Amino acid sequence: MNGPRKVYIKSYGCQMNVYDSHRMADVLAPEGYVETDRAENADLVVLNTCHIREKAVDKVYSELGRLRDMKDGAARLGRRVSIAVAGCVAQAEGKEILRREPAVDLVVGPQSYHRLPDLLRKAEREGRALDTEFPPEDKFDFLAPASREATRKRGVSAFVTIQEGCDKFCTFCVVPYTRGAEISRPVAKIVADVERLADNGVREVTLLGQNVNAYHGEGPDTQAWTIGRLLWRLADIPGIARLRYMTSHPRDVDEALIAAHRDLPALMPQLHLPVQSGSDRILAAMNRQHTARDYLDVIAKFREAQPDLSFTSDFIVGFPGESDEDFRATLRLIEAVDFTTAFTFKYSPRPGTPAADLDDQIDEDVKVDRLQKLQALIARQHERFQQSCVGRSFDVLFEKPGRLPGQITGRSPYLQPVQVMGPPSLIGHIAPVTITGNRTDAKSLFGIIAQPAVQQRSGAVAFAEAGV
Ligand code: SAH
Ligand code: SF4
Ligand code: F3S
């Protein structure tokens, strides 16, 4: 053997894939794999794929083409490179991947990552391996925890999956098929994960789930806990200064979650609440099971509890049957809410989902036109929000060195990147910053570190402690 084997893992799609990629690296570490950030150096390449839109899937197949050439090149030099496909494309079309791309050695679905070492051995023995089962055991019980070094390398802000899968079956969406039925992890296991992260320097935790606020994991009292209750428990963990969660569904918002935004200082005032459309007709066809008015009412309740809350969302334009009037209703909803930003998508028909079979599919040029209009409106709202931050002071959690020498960069409570001149010793700490400028081209706010006398949120590290 000449040194440890190297694994390169590339994530596509949502944050849950980012989290899963870390778990895969952690389960491979005891097998002697170290992570590399260059595919060319790797003995094993893992693509952690996304199936949500056709484009996401196309990207995977073109990347596999490149990797095939790389693998052939390495083989000519006598070096073996293995290629694994994980994630939602693996789950949805595992066999098809093996058929279309002979260079792929291994296909593994999201519920089987704990079996990765065994699967690699199987692929080595038998040539190829495939596992897209929904196994009876809970993968979280078998996935290795991150080492201290791995956690430190990944930084001060971490993701933790608390809920996975979806039972909602929106008519456009593949997630219920690729991730399976909704399951919530028990409270004790989440607490143990977050305590371990905090011990290793993590200050901010984002709780993840496809429907994170449908969380109903078993608590230590054997009752089902809601996400509101879980957030209060996690805020008690020493070192954890900031909590976030995503992605929420408007239908699962309850009073306890709204109250947590009013009363729990560690819960950041930023909420991603996808709505997809502002037209009741389209919302019904999408099976979202709420109206535009219901959504606006939920937003109003949040704002009443916490006026400082900022909202982001997801939108789909060109869902089958969407008329100009339906689209205008979406623009009206966006005007009414005033989002700080949003993800916007052209509807992409997905095989096996009910909406893909609807007759009145929308022409591509109409989709393009609506997408542009929607993005222009969101961009105006985003710019207005960024500009409104100039002159304000808020806490920034510093994450890494900035782009220029002497700069460090962090995140505002609203998740905006903020650049300041400051010492690297502040990385991993929270300090108050006064925002002095907004650079649209740099997608960042700029600020100066404010005087230590400025208020500290509960859980924030005192300015003096950071050694400045
Ligand atoms: N669970 C989340 C969303 C998960 S998918 C929710 O309920 O909102 C992330 C986003 O991708 C969705 O919010 C939607 O805007 C978009 N999306 C999902 N399926 C899509 C499709 N077939 N075409 C275009 N966009 C889609
Ligand atoms: Fe997909 Fe709807 Fe489930 Fe979100 S709630 S993951 S959009 S089916
Ligand atoms: Fe994509 Fe799967 Fe996430 S389809 S958005 S990677 S749950």
Side-chain angles (χ1 to χ4, degrees), residues 142-376:
F142 296 91
L143 283 170
S147 68
R148 176 172 286 265
E149 298 72 47
T151 307
R152 294 200 175 239
K153 222 172 100 197
R154 289 169 196 162
V156 296
S157 182
F159 296 127
V160 174
T161 292
I162 65 164
Q163 179 275 346
E164 198 171 350
C166 183
D167 298 337
K168 292 227 165 28
F169 292 92
C170 299
T171 54
F172 53 81
C173 183
V174 293
V175 171
Y177 312 97
T178 63
R179 292 280 174 165
E182 203 178 284
I183 61 122
S184 293
R185 297 178 63 204
V187 171
K189 290 185 181 167
I190 297 164
V191 169
D193 282 359
V194 175
E195 281 175 344
R196 179 188 290 270
L197 290 169
D199 280 349
N200 291 325
V202 167
R203 310 299 318 282
E204 175 178 88
V205 169
T206 303
L207 306 179
L208 296 181
Q210 269 92 18
N211 276 292
V212 74
N213 59 333
Y215 178 81
H216 58 274
E218 190 185 289
D221 53 2
T222 73
Q223 303 282 310
W225 280 30
T226 61
I227 188 169
R229 212 166 157 194
L230 178 68
L231 285 163
W232 277 99
R233 173 67 187 85
L234 298 178
D236 274 346
I237 295 173
I240 296 301
R242 291 181 159 193
L243 292 168
R244 305 179 184 276
Y245 57 92
M246 74 183 297
T247 298
S248 309
H249 194 292
R251 276 210 328 141
D252 294 318
V253 171
D254 66 3
E255 294 300 328
L257 185 59
I258 294 174
H261 276 283
R262 183 184 60 221
D263 301 327
L264 183 58
L267 188 53
M268 290 294 97
Q270 191 270 329
L271 183 54
H272 186 61
L273 197 61
V275 61
Q276 319 297 353
S277 168
S279 153
D280 289 344
R281 218 172 58 80
I282 296 297
L283 285 168
M286 287 176 163
N287 191 31
R288 292 292 289 183
Q289 300 186 37
H290 65 78
T291 62
R293 171 52 45 202
D294 295 334
Y295 184 82
L296 294 174
D297 287 348
V298 168
I299 298 271
K301 278 191 190 166
F302 271 119
R303 282 205 163 125
E304 195 183 322
Q306 163 58 288
D308 201 22
L309 207 50
S310 77
F311 293 94
T312 60
S313 196
D314 291 347
F315 292 93
I316 296 176
V317 296
F319 183 83
E322 185 187 66
S323 66
D324 284 339
E325 177 46 31
D326 292 320
F327 178 62
R328 278 196 294 275
T330 300
L331 296 178
R332 283 198 297 275
L333 180 138
I334 296 173
E335 295 279 9
V337 175
D338 198 4
F339 292 99
T340 53
T341 188
F343 296 109
T344 53
F345 308 104
K346 286 183 290 182
Y347 169 70
S348 167
R350 308 304 294 126
T353 59
D357 296 329
L358 294 175
D359 287 334
D360 33 8
Q361 300 288 328
I362 304 295
D363 287 346
E364 179 65 15
D365 51 344
V366 175
K367 288 185 191 172
V368 170
D369 182 58
R370 288 180 185 164
L371 187 72
Q372 278 169 358
K373 290 197 170 95
L374 195 142
Q375 285 178 337

Side-chain angles (χ1 to χ4, degrees), residues 12-152:
Y12 300 82
C14 64
Q15 266 86 354
M16 195 165 286
N17 266 8
V18 176
Y19 174 82
D20 286 346
S21 291
H22 288 159
R23 294 281 73 76
M24 283 190 265
D26 296 336
V27 92
L28 290 169
E31 302 287 313
Y33 282 95
V34 295
E35 261 190 285
T36 167
D37 50 12
R38 292 180 55 136
E40 307 80 76
N41 297 341
D43 304 289
L44 169 64
V45 176
V46 182
L47 298 186
N48 194 5
T49 61
C50 174
H51 200 249
I52 203 85
R53 285 168 291 275
E54 200 179 340
K55 241 199 207 157
V57 180
D58 292 345
K59 267 193 214 160
V60 172
Y61 283 105
S62 64
E63 181 68 17
L64 283 175
R66 269 196 296 278
L67 290 174
R68 183 203 319 130
D69 295 343
M70 196 189 88
K71 179 174 172 152
D72 291 347
R76 282 193 291 277
L77 300 173
R79 198 166 70 83
R80 184 185 150 82
V81 176
S82 300
I83 300 174
V85 181
C88 291
V89 181
Q91 188 62 47
E93 41 192 82
K95 288 209 179 82
E96 169 74 6
I97 297 170
L98 290 178
R99 194 188 60 75
R100 264 179 76 173
E101 193 41 83
V104 171
D105 299 279
L106 170 67
V107 170
V108 57
Q111 302 312 326
S112 303
Y113 294 151
H114 57 297
R115 296 177 173 176
L116 200 50
D118 283 344
L119 286 165
L120 279 167
R121 278 188 282 274
K122 185 169 179 219
E124 231 160 80
R125 230 176 25 243
E126 297 171 19
R128 299 179 108 182
L130 167 95
D131 188 345
T132 50
E133 299 295 304
F134 287 100
E137 75 272 12
D138 178 359
K139 68 174 172 186
F140 291 106
D141 288 342
F142 296 91
L143 283 170
S147 68
R148 176 172 286 265
E149 298 72 47
T151 307
R152 294 200 175 239

